[in-house]
Amino acid sequence: MLVVAVVDKIGTGLWTGAATLYFLYVAHLSIAQIGLLMGLSGVLGIAGPPLGGRLADRFPVTRVLVLAQLARGAALLALLATDDYVLLVVFSALGALPDRASSVLTKLFAARAAGPERVRYQAIQRTAANIGWAVGAAGAAAALTVGSATSYRLLLLANVASYALMAVLTLRCAEPPAPSRVVAGTHHPVDEISTRTPWRDRRYLSFTATEVWLFLDDSILQVGFPLWIVHATDAPVGLAPLVLVLNSVLVVALQVPLSRFGSTTAAARRLLLPIGAALLTGGAALAASVSGGPWFSTAAVLVAATAFTLAEILHSLSSWELSVALAPDEAQGAYLGVHGLAQSAQRSLGPVVVGVAVSMGAIAWPVLGATLAVTCLVQHRLVGPSTRTPPRGAPPASRTPGPGSGAAGFQPVGEQAGRSRTP
């Protein structure tokens, strides 16, 4: 599955940088039309994670993932068949649904396959994905120097080919045991499994709601930094792409080594405190970047980028462990699907929030950093030691913890039997 992640990001890197230009120069859409197309696609894509998670509780996750990969490729390939705006919107939206679902399905596979080592596995997978993204983006940059309609079509086809290759590779992966279909070591039909639902779990829904805000670091790095560098600082414009390079280098270098600090539920909860401190530091550094000359502005921006990237790395570890550990075995897919809504919602909300922050000036960044730090504290309290109360209407849980679960239901943090704790 690590190879699948690399292939996925190579293909995505090839296409993402060319997508807007394809719609502009090949499909001949206006900027407003492109913005609306992407916005509508994002809205439909929000339904992908819960749908994918629910299906993975009922069917083998590898088979569901293969279908999602093929659907992504088919929707993208369909773009070549038309220049009609309505159809382009429909095909793009239909592609966004399995695209968002694939992210949750990949994480669910990791949770089931890696068991207690899921945090390290996810860190390795994220590192591999970043390497793949860099390779794909470099390939896209080389192809875009040609700037012809044919080059854009070839990049699209290369991404379609990556989906086909991913489907073949996924079929070769062994299906991991699914706690949702294995209870106390006995296989049961789906209709005999407890119908636990995350939509009645107030604590998990509250946890997911705080995640929407904490995932904002993605929009800050991808959208906020370029806009801020160009419009508010004396730093050179060329610093904007270098910030993204710095982000990728730090993720590749630090994601796996730092994974040991989030290897248990209790450790993942403790990470929320340094995450908040890093977000505060990043906000203060961005505010300071408007002062002084080019050298000072550049240094302040780099400090901010480092702080936000560190927060991103640590939050990915904390978020991953907590989202799995707090989900009951028999509804693991459904719960992770709901958690996946946080990233989907952030993709729609984040650019708007960051755009407002840039327009408000330097004072917005420490304020935004402070709200993110407070959110870390709220989440720290929310996921603290507690005995889980089953949602109303759910039968009492009597089961043996599955291999993908860090806790039986929502047992007190730090009391996970059978898992070694790394300081």
Side-chain angles (χ1 to χ4, degrees):
M1 193 58 72
L2 293 176
V3 177
V4 173
V6 173
V7 172
D8 187 4
K9 292 306 179 182
I10 289 176
T12 303
L14 285 170
W15 172 241
T16 300
T20 301
L21 297 177
Y22 174 89
F23 290 123
L24 188 63
Y25 295 120
V26 178
H28 305 293
L29 303 183
S30 66
I31 297 296
Q33 286 177 316
I34 295 172
L36 180 60
L37 179 150
M38 292 185 170
L40 291 175
S41 299
V43 170
L44 182 59
I46 291 176
L51 177 61
R54 178 64 70 178
L55 289 173
D57 275 338
R58 296 177 175 271
F59 306 101
V61 66
T62 52
R63 300 301 185 265
V64 179
L65 186 54
V66 166
L67 290 177
Q69 291 159 347
L70 293 177
R72 292 166 75 187
L76 188 60
L77 187 61
L79 296 179
L80 290 175
T82 183
D83 288 338
D84 181 81
Y85 182 65
V86 174
L87 289 178
L88 289 174
V89 171
V90 170
F91 294 148
S92 297
L94 290 176
L97 194 66
D99 180 72
R100 303 286 177 85
S102 294
S103 177
V104 168
L105 292 170
T106 302
K107 290 182 177 180
L108 189 58
F109 178 94
R112 293 175 178 176
E117 296 297 322
R118 59 176 175 256
V119 172
R120 181 173 175 81
Y121 181 98
Q122 182 69 5
I124 295 172
Q125 187 173 61
R126 193 164 186 263
T127 301
N130 270 269
I131 295 173
W133 179 277
V135 172
L144 291 176
T145 57
V146 178
S148 66
T150 300
S151 65
Y152 299 131
R153 292 189 179 98
L154 288 176
L155 288 173
L156 184 152
L157 289 172
N159 196 20
V160 171
S162 75
Y163 293 137
L165 178 58
M166 287 159 55
V168 172
L169 293 173
T170 302
L171 285 172
R172 296 173 60 87
C173 295
E175 176 69 19
S180 56
R181 297 196 302 277
V182 180
V183 180
T186 303
H187 291 269
H188 293 270
V190 170
D191 58 4
E192 293 183 15
I193 303 300
S194 173
T195 55
R196 295 284 291 275
T197 171
W199 300 108
R200 295 182 181 179
D201 190 329
R202 294 180 181 178
R203 175 170 282 183
Y204 201 87
L205 290 176
S206 298
F207 166 69
T208 299
T210 59
E211 288 283 85
V212 175
W213 200 245
L214 293 183
F215 277 122
L216 199 63
D217 58 74
D218 181 65
S219 290
I220 292 174
L221 285 161
Q222 299 285 339
V223 180
F225 271 83
L227 291 177
W228 187 250
I229 289 169
V230 172
H231 294 291
T233 76
D234 292 327
V237 175
L239 184 62
L242 292 180
V243 164
L244 298 181
V245 173
L246 174 64
N247 172 261
S248 294
V249 169
L250 289 176
V251 169
V252 171
L254 299 178
Q255 189 74 64
V256 174
L258 291 178
S259 65
R260 68 182 186 275
F261 295 110
S263 58
T264 68
T265 308
R269 179 178 179 246
R270 287 195 298 270
L271 283 180
L272 290 166
L273 301 181
I275 291 170
L279 293 168
L280 269 177
T281 301
L286 275 183
S289 66
V290 300
S291 305
W295 286 106
F296 181 84
S297 293
T298 298
V301 167
L302 292 177
V303 169
T306 301
F308 278 112
T309 298
L310 182 60
E312 174 195 346
I313 294 170
L314 296 179
H315 178 240
S316 70
L317 299 172
S318 174
S319 171
W320 170 236
E321 169 61 21
L322 292 173
S323 65
V324 177
L326 306 185
D329 290 344
E330 69 270 21
Q332 193 180 69
Y335 271 68
L336 288 183
V338 167
H339 181 260
L341 288 173
Q343 281 186 306
S344 293
Q346 189 281 142
R347 290 182 185 181
S348 300
L349 175 67
V352 176
V353 172
V354 170
V356 171
V358 171
S359 66
M360 290 177 62
I363 187 61
W365 295 115
V367 171
L368 184 58
T371 64
L372 290 166
V374 169
T375 304
C376 286
L377 295 177
V378 171
Q379 190 176 109
H380 186 271
R381 179 178 178 81
L382 187 66
V383 301
S386 174
T387 301
R388 184 185 185 91
T389 301
R392 288 183 300 171
S398 58
R399 64 188 186 280
T400 300
S405 174
F410 200 129
Q411 76 182 74
V413 172
E415 297 181 11
Q416 303 168 63
R419 292 184 60 187
S420 60
R421 174 176 173 181
T422 303

